[in-house]
Amino acid sequence: MKLIAAQILPVPGEYEKNIARHIEVIHQAASHGANLVLFPELSLTGYEPRLAKVLAVQPSNSRFDEFQRLSDRYGMLIAVGAPTRGAKGTEISMISFQPGLERTCYSKQHLHPDELPFFTPGTRKRVLSQADLVLAPAICYESLQPSHAEEAAASGAQVYLASVAKSARGTALANSHYPMIAKKHSMTVVMANCVGPAEDYVAAGGSSIWNSHGELVCSADAVNEALVAYDIQTGEASVFSIRYRA
């Protein structure tokens, strides 16, 4: 199974532009043989908490239907990020599309204190199954909490999908934490980070994949959009540049 972390530069608050870019990235990931492509936290809007309430949507929103068509076409799990309308407020969510299945939504359960004025935590645990693997979603801050990884491992997860929007400091913390949980729980860890402006900081890229022994197998730089790819079966790892049509 080939896993790809999509390191992108979202356009703040612009669904249609970001959806178009996601579609191009998915086609490129498919050309590299991806079975899964993971996008960063709030990838469809950019990480903009102050805009999130206005931008929040239902996971079933029809503007996302093309992701399902691409999932069916390529036999690929596609995981994108968006603010969604929850029962008690706006949630930070990962919406996943799988071939022949209904889309699913996982919402961030452990919020950073800075997020509490804008978001409410999700309450539902979730794992995904793709190509005989069990995968656990994790969204940014919660992916640095040891208890979250422990719950994922207890659920049988073999792959930990960390969708993030991290600054340089956050990326440094991730680079020390993820190898430890990968080794401890024998889970491959995929981190998809964004680049460029995000709220009042700059996202620091560095999207990476660690194998189940805790070894870093591939990583992107801090500024360029890229696809970070790892084949679990063969151990092959690569980083590809993202190219958009003019």
Side-chain angles (χ1 to χ4, degrees), residues 107-216:
S107 295
K108 189 175 188 176
Q109 297 179 313
H110 305 276
L111 298 175
H112 189 278
D114 291 346
E115 295 172 329
L116 295 176
F118 308 102
F119 300 105
T120 57
T123 57
R124 185 177 179 183
K125 297 179 175 62
R126 182 178 293 281
V127 293
L128 305 168
S129 296
Q130 178 80 359
D132 297 323
L133 289 177
V134 179
L135 310 99
I139 302 177
C140 209
Y141 177 72
E142 68 183 4
S143 69
L144 296 179
Q145 312 312 306
S147 62
H148 192 272
E150 289 167 6
E151 289 179 358
S155 70
Q158 298 147 292
V159 180
Y160 196 58
L161 301 176
S163 173
V164 309
K166 291 189 180 297
S167 64
R169 180 178 179 275
T171 302
L173 292 172
N175 287 336
S176 63
H177 179 71
Y178 293 150
M180 291 191 297
I181 64 169
K183 184 176 182 180
K184 178 178 180 179
H185 301 298
S186 297
M187 291 191 299
T188 299
V189 177
V190 182
M191 180 184 78
N193 196 14
C194 47
V195 292
E199 195 190 26
D200 56 357
Y201 66 94
V202 176
S207 297
S208 301
I209 301 177
W210 293 264
N211 66 21
S212 58
H213 303 294
E215 300 164 338
L216 178 66

Side-chain angles (χ1 to χ4, degrees), residues 13-159:
E14 296 286 347
Y15 267 113
E16 299 312 318
K17 290 180 181 178
N18 287 317
I19 287 172
R21 289 187 176 190
H22 278 58
I23 289 169
E24 288 200 48
V25 169
I26 291 164
H27 285 304
Q28 291 179 49
S31 74
H32 295 301
N35 302 106
L36 173 147
V37 58
L38 174 68
F39 286 90
E41 181 180 25
L42 297 176
S43 61
L44 290 171
T45 62
Y47 186 83
E48 300 291 337
R50 290 173 179 83
L51 301 178
K53 184 176 181 179
V54 174
L55 295 171
V57 295
Q58 295 294 341
S60 58
N61 193 293
S62 62
R63 72 177 77 187
F64 304 147
D65 289 353
E66 183 60 20
F67 297 137
Q68 185 62 56
R69 286 189 280 270
L70 291 172
S71 175
D72 294 339
R73 174 180 174 182
Y74 291 126
M76 182 192 299
L77 192 165
I78 299 167
V80 304
T84 61
R85 296 178 188 139
K88 297 183 178 180
T90 305
E91 298 178 353
I92 299 174
S93 298
M94 181 190 298
I95 305 172
S96 298
F97 303 82
Q98 294 181 264
L101 300 176
E102 291 187 8
R103 72 187 68 174
T104 58
C105 182
Y106 167 79
S107 295
K108 189 175 188 176
Q109 297 179 313
H110 305 276
L111 298 175
H112 189 278
D114 291 346
E115 295 172 329
L116 295 176
F118 308 102
F119 300 105
T120 57
T123 57
R124 185 177 179 183
K125 297 179 175 62
R126 182 178 293 281
V127 293
L128 305 168
S129 296
Q130 178 80 359
D132 297 323
L133 289 177
V134 179
L135 310 99
I139 302 177
C140 209
Y141 177 72
E142 68 183 4
S143 69
L144 296 179
Q145 312 312 306
S147 62
H148 192 272
E150 289 167 6
E151 289 179 358
S155 70
Q158 298 147 292
V159 180

